[in-house]
């Protein structure tokens, strides 16, 4: 077993590269972490690919095309002015318009959005669709706000944001804290200002240009990816005990698909703690959870009032429970090196990341060392942005595909992503999905950047 708290030694080339990144972006630890994870795959690969190395493609890819930052002023229910910061990081549009969600959470900083935008560039490339990468959001906290306050904030935010986005320029979507309600308010304000009905946002309601399966796509996609990984070992989801974290959009649809495929999801969590239901969730329990989080908007602890055989662990994460498969679906760095060691010790065979960067660099070392099936978020959770890409296509064509049609495309895309990871990640009979996803995602963007010359 490696030492959990210390990341494996890195090469002098990676260390030098990371020194430059740190110098150019001080105080952005999550961004440094995201870049380092990719640098460890890409820098050795560049040794065999001088055309990318000599043109400094990877150096260019770690600097966003541009960052937009602005003040958002809105009035709360007591008539008191509130001030937040709005951001859009337009990271790279080499292969298509910028695409990536908005996150509304008090922890949001420029560094958070740069890490998410950087990951998004490679993820979007992996989908095989023509999508560039971006990310945006605000330190606004929708928790504890009423619908009017959320609407006023969204309108104030879009009143500046509208001039930087467009259906062929930059097409945002949802992320943490931005669900159907927020997308409705944001799209309404965009439409009001610009006087155009276009596919400028994805994750829209079905009545106004949304795509079937978009809400489900990230969670379903992460389970489809797990299915593909298990198939490489002649195994399946049926009968497996599953640990899920999070209780939002991604977690809910991960649980739904796991139940459908015969898995047994026994945990979920939110920012207050986690629930362990040893009997497993079924459709009725899931519906109760959805109502809890989406309608009543309360903490997961309430679940035990309805299902007293479940246990609530305040302030803890689900990784201390034994399970066959893990689906981290809440937020970044929710699996530490120690958590990863506990998961492996308890027999976990697979980790499919619904969240973005939920595993620390030390945790990734543990999973790789143990040779379990481990899929990084940029591969496993790419289903969401892929179906957003299909929502854009449907908007442009002014038509809607059926649920079965979109679901079939989602399964096909997840299978293609798996194939790309397997192609570039083979190592002595083990698929290193981190390396595979990083190299496959990099090549397409890098080739486009080479074609454009020095810009
Ligand atoms: P939601 O806002 O719907 O749900 C987020 C969930 O994570 C909530 O249960 C929330 O708890 C919990 N959470 C958020 N922050 C923390 C924290 N700091 N510590 C512990 N728990 C936390 O977001 P999504 O489900 O959309 O997103 C979840 C993850 O999936 C994110 O990493 C996101 O970037 C990623 N993702 C989402 C996609 C999408 O299509 N929505 C696409 C690809 C990736 P609480 O309820 O208490 O706030």
């Amino acid at each position: 077993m490696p030492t959990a708290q210390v990341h494996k030694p890195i090469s002098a080339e990676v260390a030098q590269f990371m020194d430059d990144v740190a110098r150019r972006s001080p105080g952005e630890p999550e961004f440094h972490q995201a870049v380092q994870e990719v640098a460890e795959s890409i820098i050795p690969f560049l040794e065999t690919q001088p055309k990318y190395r000599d043109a400094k493609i990877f150096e260019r890819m770690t600097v966003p095309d541009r960052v937009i930052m602005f003040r958002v002023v809105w009035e709360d229910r007591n008539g008191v002015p509130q001030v937040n910061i709005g951001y859009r990081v337009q990271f790279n549009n080499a292969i298509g318009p910028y695409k990536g969600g908005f996150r509304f959470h008090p922890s949001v900083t420029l560094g958070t959005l740069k890490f998410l935008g950087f990951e998004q560039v490679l993820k979007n490339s992996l989908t095989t669709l023509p999508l560039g990468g971006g990310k945006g959001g605000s330190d606004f906290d929708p928790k504890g706000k009423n619908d009017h306050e959320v609407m006023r904030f969204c309108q104030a935010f879009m009143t500046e944001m509208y001039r930087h986005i467009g259906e062929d320029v930059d097409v945002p979507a949802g992320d943490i804290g931005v669900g159907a309600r927020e997308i409705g308010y944001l799209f309404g304000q965009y439409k009001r200002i610009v006087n155009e009905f276009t596919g400028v946002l994805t994750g829209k309601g079905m009545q106004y240009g949304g795509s079937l399966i978009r809400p489900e796509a990230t969670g379903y996609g992460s389970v489809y990816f797990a299915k593909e990984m298990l198939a490489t070992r002649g195994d399946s989801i049926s009968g497996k005990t599953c640990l899920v974290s999070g209780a939002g959009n991604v977690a809910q649809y991960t649980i739904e698909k796991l139940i459908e495929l015969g898995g047994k999801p026994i945990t979920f969590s939110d920012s207050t703690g986690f629930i362990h239901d040893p009997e497993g969730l079924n459709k009725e329990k899931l519906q109760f959870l959805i109502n809890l989080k989406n309608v009543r908007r309360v903490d997961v602890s309430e679940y035990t009032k309805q299902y007293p055989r479940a246990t609530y662990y305040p302030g803890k994460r689900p990784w201390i429970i034994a399970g066959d498969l893990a689906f981290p679906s809440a937020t970044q760095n929710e699996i530490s090196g120690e958590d990863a060691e506990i998961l492996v010790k308890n027999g976990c065979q697979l980790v499919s990341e619904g969240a973005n960067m939920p595993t620390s660099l030390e945790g990734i070392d543990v999973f790789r060392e143990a040779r379990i099936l481990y899929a990084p978020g940029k591969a496993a959770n790419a289903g969401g942005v892929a179906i957003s890409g299909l929502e854009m296509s449907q908007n442009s064509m002014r038509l809607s595909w059926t649920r079965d049609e979109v679901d079939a495309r989602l399964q096909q895309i997840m299978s293609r992503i798996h194939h790309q990871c397997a192609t570039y990640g083979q190592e002595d009979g083990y698929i290193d999905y981190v390396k595979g996803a990083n190299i496959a995602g990099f090549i397409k963007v890098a080739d486009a950047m080479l074609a454009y010359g020095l810009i």
Side-chain angles (χ1 to χ4, degrees):
M1 276 286 179
T3 314
Q5 295 310 318
V6 183
H7 180 47
K8 67 176 192 241
I10 53 174
S11 69
E13 291 78 13
V14 174
Q16 173 67 51
F17 189 88
M18 289 312 304
D19 280 351
D20 286 346
V21 171
R23 182 182 48 75
R24 280 199 294 251
S25 53
E28 297 178 354
E30 291 165 331
F31 177 59
H32 304 164
Q33 181 184 338
V35 173
Q36 182 168 330
E37 187 242 88
V38 177
E40 288 177 26
S41 310
I42 296 300
I43 289 177
F45 173 70
L46 293 178
E47 289 310 308
T48 65
Q49 304 285 330
K51 63 178 175 180
Y52 302 133
R53 189 195 54 207
D54 297 347
K56 293 207 159 73
I57 295 291
F58 189 46
E59 284 86 338
R60 288 196 248 163
M61 275 172 71
T62 58
V63 181
D65 288 353
R66 71 190 60 77
V67 169
I68 296 145
M69 258 177 92
F70 53 95
R71 182 176 62 243
V72 185
V73 185
W74 57 283
E75 199 174 75
D76 71 14
R77 68 186 89 173
N78 302 313
V80 177
Q82 298 290 337
V83 184
N84 288 103
I85 306 178
Y87 305 89
R88 188 70 183 162
V89 179
Q90 296 183 330
F91 221 108
N92 188 305
N93 68 353
I95 61 169
Y98 304 107
K99 179 93 198 89
F102 285 143
R103 176 175 291 192
F104 292 169
H105 194 273
S107 66
V108 164
T109 62
L110 179 58
T112 316
L113 299 172
K114 279 176 68 183
F115 118 62
L116 289 162
F118 175 73
E119 291 262 304
Q120 195 83 44
V121 174
L122 299 166
K123 179 190 313 194
N124 292 3
S125 164
L126 280 173
T127 64
T128 68
L129 301 174
L131 302 170
K135 200 83 188 186
S138 174
D139 62 345
F140 172 74
D141 186 1
K143 250 190 215 163
K145 309 287 189 306
N146 64 31
D147 287 353
H148 288 284
E149 291 174 310
V150 172
M151 180 183 76
R152 278 198 291 271
F153 171 79
C154 288
Q155 291 179 342
F157 178 84
M158 187 53 90
T159 301
E160 171 60 32
M161 183 61 74
Y162 86 94
R163 68 185 91 241
H164 307 291
I165 61 178
E167 61 175 339
D168 295 320
V169 180
D170 185 348
V171 184
D175 189 75
I176 291 177
V178 180
R181 174 182 62 172
E182 290 76 15
I183 293 287
Y185 294 145
L186 291 164
F187 185 71
Q189 182 71 350
Y190 181 87
K191 193 172 68 59
R192 173 158 79 170
I193 297 172
V194 178
N195 190 26
E196 266 180 19
F197 194 108
T198 57
V200 69
L201 292 170
T202 58
K204 300 188 289 301
M206 280 311 297
Q207 312 80 354
Y208 57 96
S211 172
L212 287 164
I213 301 284
R214 175 60 190 94
E216 294 90 335
T218 308
Y220 279 17
S222 151
V223 178
Y224 291 149
F225 201 86
K227 208 173 130 188
E228 295 279 342
M229 290 198 284
L230 286 165
T232 65
R233 295 187 176 177
D235 209 345
S236 74
I237 284 171
S238 179
K240 297 285 190 306
T241 303
C242 304
L243 308 175
V244 178
S245 67
N249 170 272
V250 179
Q252 291 170 11
Y253 288 109
T254 297
I255 293 171
E256 182 172 285
K257 187 50 79 177
L258 286 171
I259 296 170
E260 203 183 303
L261 297 182
K264 186 180 171 191
I266 57 167
T267 66
F268 55 86
S269 68
D270 66 9
S271 47
T272 69
F274 84 90
I275 293 284
H276 177 212
D277 183 343
E279 291 168 2
L281 274 83
N282 55 24
K283 284 189 177 166
E284 178 206 306
K285 290 176 175 179
L286 173 61
Q287 205 42 57
F288 181 81
L289 169 65
I290 292 174
N291 189 56
L292 215 63
K293 295 306 291 187
N294 300 13
V295 182
R296 291 171 58 198
R297 297 184 190 271
V298 293
D299 297 341
V300 289
S301 61
E302 291 282 311
Y303 182 88
T304 55
K305 292 191 182 147
Q306 182 79 3
Y307 301 105
R309 283 203 285 274
T311 309
Y312 173 60
Y313 291 79
K316 296 247 176 340
R317 297 182 292 227
W319 321 123
I320 49 176
I321 304 293
D324 301 316
L325 317 176
F327 294 87
S329 310
T331 192
Q332 62 270 21
N333 289 324
E334 52 168 320
I335 301 183
S336 66
E338 270 172 19
D339 294 329
E341 285 195 336
I342 294 168
L343 278 166
V344 169
K345 200 168 97 228
N346 283 338
C348 179
Q349 304 152 29
L350 172 148
V351 178
S352 182
E353 294 185 342
N356 284 309
M357 205 170 75
T359 308
S360 67
L361 290 171
E362 296 78 17
I364 296 175
D365 288 348
V366 174
F367 294 148
R368 279 165 141 175
E369 188 107 338
R371 293 199 151 210
I372 68 162
L373 297 164
Y374 165 66
K378 63 173 78 70
N381 71 35
V385 72
I387 302 309
S388 276
L390 300 187
E391 183 174 330
M392 289 162 70
S393 307
Q394 293 170 80
N395 290 166
S396 301
M397 293 188 287
R398 306 240 188 271
L399 52 76
S400 297
W401 295 327
T402 65
R403 191 179 163 85
D404 285 349
E405 213 171 336
V406 183
D407 194 30
R409 285 177 197 256
L410 173 62
Q411 293 189 52
Q412 208 177 53
I413 289 171
M414 297 316 294
S415 170
R416 272 194 240 140
I417 296 173
H418 183 274
H419 177 74
Q420 294 178 74
C421 292
T423 305
Y424 291 100
Q426 285 290 349
E427 258 185 21
D428 314 325
Y430 173 64
I431 303 176
D432 182 338
Y433 287 92
V434 175
K435 181 176 157 194
N438 287 338
I439 296 177
F442 171 83
I443 289 174
K444 188 171 163 196
V445 179
D447 284 340
M449 289 175 75
L450 272 184
Y452 300 141
L454 292 185
I455 59 169

